[in-house]
Amino acid sequence: MRKYKFLLIGALVLSLAACGEEKETVETSANSNSTEEVEQNETVVDVKPVTFKDALGYDHEFEAVPGSIATLNPGIMDILIELDANIIGRPTIHADMSSEIQAIQEIGNPHEPSFEQIVSLNPEVLIVPPSFQRFASTLEATGIKVVYENMDSLEGIKETITRYGEVFGNVEKAKQLIAEIDSAATKSTDSTKKALIVYGAPGTYLAALDNSLYGDILKAAGGNNIAADLPALDKYPTYASLSAEKIVEGNPQIIMLITHSDPNVVKEGFEKQMNENAAWKNLDAVKNGQIIILPSQLFDNPGTQVVEALDYMRDLLEKAEATN
């Protein structure tokens, strides 16, 4: 009987030993598989270089998608937000802003950039309008890449959206935004009203030509720009001087003001200039009180908000058509 007990105990010991070895083998196998999975996952991350041309034809190359962006253009900022880019520096904005935009560091505007703030933020990329070229070397010396974008037309806005949709891997969103712009641009009204769009700052008033963004919006909305044939300024090729003779000859029935400054101050100054000129006082727009300030949040470099700008402009023209 003792012999059988010894045999039974011996079999139990061998069984436990075998189980231990099997457990160790399973754990070793599991650990091995886990290590292989980690290694496999690590190799999946494929960082590819990003290359593109900006609006001025300059080539730009990055080892990976830029991780920090700053811009001095509200429209560019709007597009980048829609495409999920990481914006760490934004332009000065006088209109109402969301808390998300307010939280981004302000860095000035293309005419008065805050170099100190830009350099302290040290973004990988600074996106600016072509007029910024005179400042570029100052920042490029610090290693910041300066990229130029020109959104002086609906087509320019769409090209910019397409470019950054590809850069930030958000092509489908870019296509959606462009489709919305195209849809808004097809809803034009057949207005008979003659219009004038004036860019105003205290003491300075310029007429927007058809090749400006504002002239393009007016045309797409169905309006008639009386400044279309005025000679362009050398320094600002999308604007013309306000020629009293030509304006009186065109006799606009609606005048729209765009401003970066305090709109009420600009309107007051513009109306004073109009009233001081006997000929201008007889313009239909002045006599009928049709001098309208366009909301800066829609018309001051609008970006994707050009959809709302088109709708707003079309509504203005339709109301003017209905009142006279």
Side-chain angles (χ1 to χ4, degrees), residues 14-45:
L14 289 173
S15 176
L16 290 173
C19 287
E21 289 176 1
E22 183 179 349
K23 181 179 180 183
E24 183 178 350
T25 301
V26 170
E27 288 178 349
T28 302
S29 176
N31 290 337
S32 176
N33 289 338
S34 177
T35 302
E36 288 176 4
E37 287 177 6
V38 170
E39 290 175 351
Q40 186 177 3
N41 288 337
E42 287 177 350
T43 59
V44 168
V45 178

Side-chain angles (χ1 to χ4, degrees), residues 56-117:
L56 296 186
Y58 293 118
D59 291 308
H60 299 279
E61 182 172 350
F62 300 89
E63 293 181 358
V65 175
S68 58
I69 312 292
T71 182
L72 291 163
N73 184 299
I76 293 291
M77 178 188 68
D78 170 66
I79 290 170
L80 295 176
I81 288 174
E82 290 287 344
L83 296 175
D84 298 327
N86 178 33
I87 307 170
I88 63 173
R90 65 163 176 85
T92 299
I93 298 173
H94 298 292
D96 292 337
M97 292 176 281
S98 67
S99 56
E100 176 189 12
I101 293 173
Q102 283 182 333
I104 302 172
Q105 176 62 54
E106 182 181 313
I107 58 173
N109 61 59
H111 309 293
E112 295 179 338
S114 173
F115 294 110
E116 183 180 356
Q117 288 289 355

Side-chain angles (χ1 to χ4, degrees), residues 107-157:
I107 58 173
N109 61 59
H111 309 293
E112 295 179 338
S114 173
F115 294 110
E116 183 180 356
Q117 288 289 355
I118 296 171
V119 172
S120 67
L121 288 173
N122 192 31
E124 288 184 59
V125 182
L126 175 68
I127 304 178
V128 293
S131 61
F132 190 82
Q133 289 180 84
R134 65 187 186 276
F135 299 128
S137 58
T138 302
L139 292 174
E140 288 173 333
T142 69
I144 297 172
K145 287 198 175 184
V146 178
V147 175
Y148 298 99
E149 292 301 341
N150 189 6
M151 301 200 299
D152 277 343
S153 66
L154 295 175
E155 196 59 37
I157 291 175

